[in-house]
Every structure is written in C-alpha cells, then in structure tokens.
Amino acid sequence: MPESSRTVMDRLSLSGRTALVTGGSRGIGNGIARGLAEAGADVGVVYRKAADQADRFVGELHAMGRSGSFAHQADVTKKSDLKGMVDAALGNWGKIDILVNNAGTGVAVAAEEMSEEDWDFINDVNLKSVFFASQVVGRQMIRQRSGSIINVGSISALVANNPQKQCHYNAAKAGVHMLTKCLAVEWVDHNIRVNAIAPGYVETDLTRPFMQEHPEQAEQLWKMGTLQARFAAPSEMAGAAVFLASDASSFVTGEIMVVDGGYTLR
Ligand code: NDP
C-alpha cells in the first residue's frame, strides 16, 4: 500500500512486527508488552525471575493470535544473556523490529550512606543494561536497516522528587534519557528511531511497598503531587509505546515522552 493511502490507524498497526520487551512479565513492561500485542506484534517476553508469570502471559498472547510470541530468561546486566536474547529472537523471527528496554529497579539509600556496590547495582540494571541491550539489538537493526527502540526512563530524571533518597536511580534515569538522544543521532542514517517514555507514578511491585509502608507520604507527595491526583495503571504506558513503536511516529526520534498525569507540570 502506498504511504499516502495509509490511514493513521493503518500506521499505528504493529501487525507483522516483532518486539522484545525486557521485564515484560509484570509491571509496566507487561502493560507495554500487552499493548504491543494488542496492536498486532508478536512479543518476546524477557524475564529474569518471573518465569511462571512470563509463561502464563505468553499463553495469553498465543490465545489472542500472537503465535510467534515466546518467553526468554535473561539478566539484562549480563552481556552474554543479552546476546542470548537476540539469538532467541532471531531464531524465532529472523528479525527484531522493536526493542523496549523496560527492566529496572530502585532502592532507597541516603547519599551519605551509599556504597559503591549500591551505586553500581542500580546503574548496571537501569543504565548500563539499556546501552548494551541497545547495542546488541542495534547491530541487528543496522543490518535490517530498520528498527524502533523505546527506553523506559522516568520523571525521576527530570525532578529530584521528594521523599525518595535515590540519587543513583535518578542519575541512571537521566543517563537513559541522554543515551536515548545520543543513539537517535548516531543511528538515524540506519533508519533506527530511538525514543523514551518517562512514566510518572505507576502502581506496580516497585512502588507498592512504599505506598503500603508510607501511605500518607504516598498520598500527599505522589498522588496529590500528580495533577490528575491518582496513580497510573501499567496499561496506561501502552499507548505511548505503541505510538513510538509504530509508523505513526515515523518523524519522532530522540523524544522523551513524559506520561505522568501532569506530575512534572508543577
Ligand atoms: P517492577 O518491579 O514491577 O518490574 C520490574 C521488571 O524488571 C520485572 O519484570 C523484572 O523481571 C525486571 N528486571 C529487574 N531487574 C532485571 C534484570 N537484572 N534483568 C532482567 N529483568 C530485570 O517495576 P516497574 O514495572 O514499576 O518498572 C518498570 C520500569 O519502569 C523500570 O525501568 C522503572 O525504573 C520504570 N519506572 C517505574 C515507575 C513506577 O512508578 N512504577 C515510574 C518511572 C519509571 P523479573 O520479575 O523477572 O525479575
């Protein structure tokens, strides 16, 4: 179909596309993976520990017709595991159209008490892994001469949000945002677009413990600090991901799309 006759809904479709999603078995990654599949993509659900959830989810994807979907175990901090992830995708699909670098974690540690191990752990999971996953998948996308990479950053890269003592996490996420722009510039001639989503407060296993242990702070600082006065569900990150993965965003690269219910407006 000539480009000029494709409607915007045609261009949003991910039918026939293939997507690797790290941390795809639960939380935000699961919301994004589900959205990509609903838009038509087969999904490689990359998990580290949550094997049962990953397998159950792949069963759901098969039931909805995304029969090329599969689960794959990988620790994103290990380069050999990232290579294994790419080999699994190429074995299943022969190509990789979309990579979502979502896997991440956070730990609260006061700056004056932070050890080198604390710093390295958070930066390895949240930033270094994003670079090396992008590198190993990017090499394949360069061979294909096409691809869309979506990194999950954070509003914590944009504001030093109280009361979380997590300067290592915030710095890592700021690194993810800048890395997104740098790779967008480096790989534009290979027809690879690189963008990021910066979520606000999303209710997941990552944020729930703080909400339960500090309900008043979570209510006042997180929920009421959000213009829409609520937390997001993981599924609310899917729209941005589908848009950025699809041809509907063909002129969008190096963008940090803030999806935060207005948290960073004030
Ligand atoms: P969850 O804790 O719910 O899920 C984290 C996911 O990351 C899990 O699927 C986990 O896999 C995976 N993961 C963690 N470490 C590794 C690793 N070393 N190798 C492979 N996979 C790993 O977190 P969220 O869904 O809340 O967060 C997802 C992303 O969104 C993160 O990058 C986070 O920083 C970011 N974010 C979250 C916000 C929020 O409010 N929740 C706000 C802004 C950004 P497994 O279960 O298999 O171990």
Side-chain angles (χ1 to χ4, degrees), residues 23 26-28 47-50 74-77 102-104 125 152-154 169 173 199-202 204-207:
R26 60 190 179 92
I28 290 174
Y47 67 94
R48 179 192 44 164
K49 292 183 179 162
D75 180 338
V76 293
T77 64
N102 160 81
V125 178
V152 177
S154 176
Y169 176 89
K173 289 295 184 182
Y201 289 104
V202 185
T204 67
D205 296 340
L206 186 65
T207 49

Side-chain angles (χ1 to χ4, degrees), residues 20 82 85-86 96 98-99 132-142 144 149 187 192:
L20 282 172
L82 294 173
M85 173 183 86
V86 168
I96 305 167
I98 300 154
L99 167 66
F132 283 107
S134 300
Q135 184 189 60
V136 69
V137 173
R139 286 174 180 151
Q140 171 60 25
M141 289 177 167
I142 287 170
Q144 296 168 189
I149 297 176
W187 290 345
I192 298 170

Side-chain angles (χ1 to χ4, degrees), residues 107-115 118 122 164-168:
V107 188
V109 189
E112 67 276 17
E113 285 160 18
M114 190 173 292
S115 67
D118 293 330
I122 288 297
Q164 295 137 280
K165 294 185 189 298
Q166 50 172 36
C167 66
H168 51 354

Side-chain angles (χ1 to χ4, degrees), residues 9-198:
M9 296 312 287
D10 292 333
R11 285 186 281 125
L12 272 169
S13 169
L14 298 177
S15 181
R17 304 283 168 92
T18 62
L20 282 172
V21 182
T22 67
S25 62
R26 60 190 179 92
I28 290 174
N30 189 254
I32 288 175
R34 201 175 284 277
L36 298 176
E38 286 166 359
D42 283 331
V43 180
V45 180
V46 182
Y47 67 94
R48 179 192 44 164
K49 292 183 179 162
D52 289 352
Q53 278 164 289
D55 287 342
R56 261 199 312 277
F57 180 47
V58 167
E60 283 182 56
L61 297 178
H62 286 180
M64 65 193 268
R66 305 298 169 253
S67 54
S69 300
F70 64 94
H72 181 80
Q73 199 277 332
D75 180 338
V76 293
T77 64
K78 295 185 179 154
K79 282 179 72 178
S80 56
D81 281 16
L82 294 173
K83 166 102 178 32
M85 173 183 86
V86 168
D87 290 346
L90 294 180
N92 276 280
W93 302 324
K95 63 167 187 169
I96 305 167
D97 296 313
I98 300 154
L99 167 66
V100 181
N101 283 310
N102 160 81
T105 197
V107 188
V109 189
E112 67 276 17
E113 285 160 18
M114 190 173 292
S115 67
E116 190 174 351
E117 289 72 29
D118 293 330
W119 178 270
D120 286 347
F121 170 68
I122 288 297
N123 275 275
D124 282 358
V125 178
N126 292 292
L127 176 57
K128 191 174 164 187
S129 72
V130 173
F131 175 71
F132 283 107
S134 300
Q135 184 189 60
V136 69
V137 173
R139 286 174 180 151
Q140 171 60 25
M141 289 177 167
I142 287 170
R143 282 192 286 275
Q144 296 168 189
R145 288 206 49 77
S146 69
S148 173
I149 297 176
I150 300 165
N151 299 324
V152 177
S154 176
I155 55 163
S156 297
L158 305 171
V159 291
N161 38 356
N162 208 19
Q164 295 137 280
K165 294 185 189 298
Q166 50 172 36
C167 66
H168 51 354
Y169 176 89
N170 297 359
K173 289 295 184 182
V176 169
H177 289 194
M178 192 59 193
L179 180 63
T180 299
K181 296 179 190 194
C182 294
L183 294 180
V185 171
E186 282 206 36
W187 290 345
V188 67
D189 292 339
H190 299 293
N191 194 30
I192 298 170
R193 296 183 299 108
V194 188
N195 292 288
I197 297 170

